[in-house]
Amino acid sequence: MEIQNSTQSVTTVIKGLTIYIIASIVSSVVKIIAVLMNLGTIMCAASTGDMGGAIASLGFTAIITLIVGLAVLYGIWLYYSGLQQFAPELDEVGTKAVGNLSNAALLMLIAQILTMVGIFVPIIGSVIAMILVVIAFVLNIVGYSALRNSASLNSLGQDGAKQLFTGFIFAIIAVCVSWIPVLSWIAAIVLNILYWVYLFKGWGKIRQSLQ
């Protein structure tokens, strides 16, 4: 029963990550489209004087962004729930490691809520959200690093934990690279894809090791 519970909790983690990543990608695309649509609408309204249409368009894109944001929120919550279920099944080292990951997920959850509030009330909470994300990054790197040493995981599971750690290193590099001008976004996309691949492979191996 304990093994079955562990497998189910890791499956929940993977489902949460899947929803979160897909929703995040969609969110980024929607934001780009929204900016282009809003820019075109505002320019059109400025030339025709139809401000009502511009306001309606802005409201529509805000609603779409909100819906996608809720999907991101659900993905994080599901991921957090899976981690909470998985932590008690591990030894002390593993429990503390997953505890750090859970705390990071909780901070990301709060940051996402603050970001969504910012859709309708710009700037409010943005600084706090950014601080929470930075703290979450630190907790994630500490958690993934410690999880590699959990005695509750066999060699396959520890290999998966190592891949999680490596993947998160890619994520950190992607964030750093994104600040560098000239084609930095391409490098960031490639690094993020590597992060996602390692993320799913890592948790997949951990789940497989529990079966």
Side-chain angles (χ1 to χ4, degrees):
M1 180 64 70
E2 182 177 342
I3 294 178
Q4 183 179 0
N5 290 338
S6 299
T7 304
Q8 290 176 347
S9 61
V10 175
T11 298
T12 301
V13 167
I14 295 174
K15 286 181 179 178
L17 286 172
T18 302
I19 295 173
Y20 168 69
I21 291 175
I22 293 176
S24 296
I25 294 173
V26 173
S27 177
S28 298
V29 174
V30 167
K31 286 178 181 178
I32 294 173
I33 295 175
V35 169
L36 295 176
M37 286 180 60
N38 292 340
L39 181 61
T41 301
I42 292 173
M43 291 178 64
C44 181
S47 61
T48 62
D50 182 18
M51 295 307 297
I55 294 174
S57 177
L58 291 173
F60 175 75
T61 53
I63 291 173
I64 296 299
T65 304
L66 176 61
I67 293 173
V68 177
L70 288 173
V72 173
L73 199 63
Y74 176 67
I76 299 174
W77 176 82
L78 201 61
Y79 169 66
Y80 171 77
S81 299
L83 291 174
Q84 287 289 93
Q85 297 166 14
F86 184 47
E89 309 294 338
L90 301 172
D91 63 333
E92 184 178 356
V93 173
T95 298
K96 288 182 178 179
V98 176
N100 281 322
L101 298 179
S102 296
N103 291 334
L106 186 59
L107 292 179
M108 291 297 294
L109 196 68
I110 298 172
Q112 175 63 18
I113 293 173
L114 292 174
T115 301
M116 290 171 63
V117 170
I119 295 174
F120 300 99
V121 189
I123 301 176
I124 290 182
S126 297
V127 175
I128 298 176
M130 185 176 297
I131 293 174
L132 293 178
V133 169
V134 171
I135 297 174
F137 258 75
V138 174
L139 289 174
N140 272 319
I141 198 68
V142 172
Y144 284 132
S145 177
L147 188 59
R148 298 176 299 174
N149 302 316
S150 174
S152 296
L153 300 176
N154 59 22
S155 58
L156 180 62
Q158 289 180 347
D159 185 46
K162 291 177 182 177
Q163 288 189 325
L164 291 175
F165 179 77
T166 302
F168 201 74
I169 294 298
F170 283 129
I172 293 175
I173 297 174
V175 173
C176 296
V177 167
S178 65
W179 291 92
I180 302 175
V182 186
L183 301 181
S184 60
W185 61 276
I186 296 179
I189 289 175
V190 172
L191 289 167
N192 273 313
I193 291 175
L194 287 173
Y195 165 55
W196 297 333
V197 169
Y198 273 79
L199 198 63
F200 285 111
K201 286 180 65 177
W203 281 112
K205 284 188 175 182
I206 290 176
R207 180 173 60 180
Q208 186 179 352
S209 72
L210 299 171
Q211 294 175 343

